[in-house]
Amino acid sequence: MVLHFSCTPSARRMLWLALLQGLVFYAPVATLYRQVRGVSLFQITLMEGISLGLSIVLELPWGIVSERIGYRRTLLFCSALYLLSKIIFWQANGFFLFLLERLLLAVVLAGFSGVDAAYLTAVTPSSQRQHIFGLYEGGIHCRSVVGGPLFFFASSRGLQ
């Protein structure tokens, strides 16, 4: 059975955003990448702990800010920071740049937390929410299916 539905342009953009952000195919080897770039396991653990703590601390303030400036602006700002964090990760070669990347990512994750669902709820008719949220979550988790072949392709060509 094929389910036909119409999707609002705003919901369609969120689906694409989830798909693109889900393509973080290097996640399984991020620790190795950091080690090759001069960061010790202790430093990686420290960065992750600081990142997690900051993300938890920023949850409530981000909720307040997103209510004031709007879900869409919050998502746009966080998406720009997300892109910046990935560029920093790609170019980083020491503890402090990788820490900066994790701090930016903590801000982003706290900003996205709940705002993405609230925005999708606001722009999607109630009759389509279950389907749209299924597609959204699928886009977020596509890296497990698409990421492996992408990583293999990149590593077989000598790309770092």
Side-chain angles (χ1 to χ4, degrees), residues 105-120:
L105 192 59
V107 171
V108 167
L109 295 177
F112 276 138
S113 177
V115 175
D116 54 354
Y119 181 73
L120 268 180

Side-chain angles (χ1 to χ4, degrees), residues 2 4 11 22 24 28 38 49-50 54 63 67 69 71 75 87 106 115 120 132-133 135-136 143 154:
V2 177
H4 296 283
V24 182
I50 292 169
L54 181 61
E67 290 291 331
I69 68 171
Y71 300 141
L75 291 170
I87 292 170
V115 175
L120 268 180
I132 293 295
F133 273 94
L135 291 172
Y136 181 67
R143 69 177 156 244

Side-chain angles (χ1 to χ4, degrees), residues 54-141:
L54 181 61
S55 185
I56 291 169
V57 167
L58 291 176
E59 285 281 335
L60 182 61
W62 257 124
I64 294 168
V65 168
S66 69
E67 290 291 331
R68 289 198 178 145
I69 68 171
Y71 300 141
R72 183 173 182 210
R73 286 185 181 149
T74 303
L75 291 170
L76 289 172
F77 178 75
C78 287
S79 294
L81 278 182
Y82 186 80
L83 178 62
L84 178 62
S85 78
K86 296 305 125 197
I87 292 170
I88 291 171
F89 181 84
W90 174 48
Q91 295 295 312
N93 59 2
F95 174 74
F96 292 106
L97 283 176
F98 280 113
L99 178 62
L100 175 62
E101 180 264 336
R102 292 308 298 178
L103 294 176
L104 284 175
L105 192 59
V107 171
V108 167
L109 295 177
F112 276 138
S113 177
V115 175
D116 54 354
Y119 181 73
L120 268 180
T121 300
V123 299
T124 305
S126 61
S127 63
Q128 297 175 357
R129 284 189 191 136
Q130 184 177 6
H131 190 74
I132 293 295
F133 273 94
L135 291 172
Y136 181 67
E137 289 297 321
I140 290 173
H141 299 292

Side-chain angles (χ1 to χ4, degrees), residues 29-57:
V29 294
T31 299
L32 298 174
Y33 182 78
R34 289 181 181 117
Q35 285 181 307
V36 167
R37 297 291 184 122
V39 182
S40 71
L41 276 177
F42 174 77
Q43 291 172 323
I44 293 169
T45 304
L46 181 64
M47 286 186 306
E48 293 296 330
I50 292 169
S51 176
L52 176 61
L54 181 61
S55 185
I56 291 169
V57 167

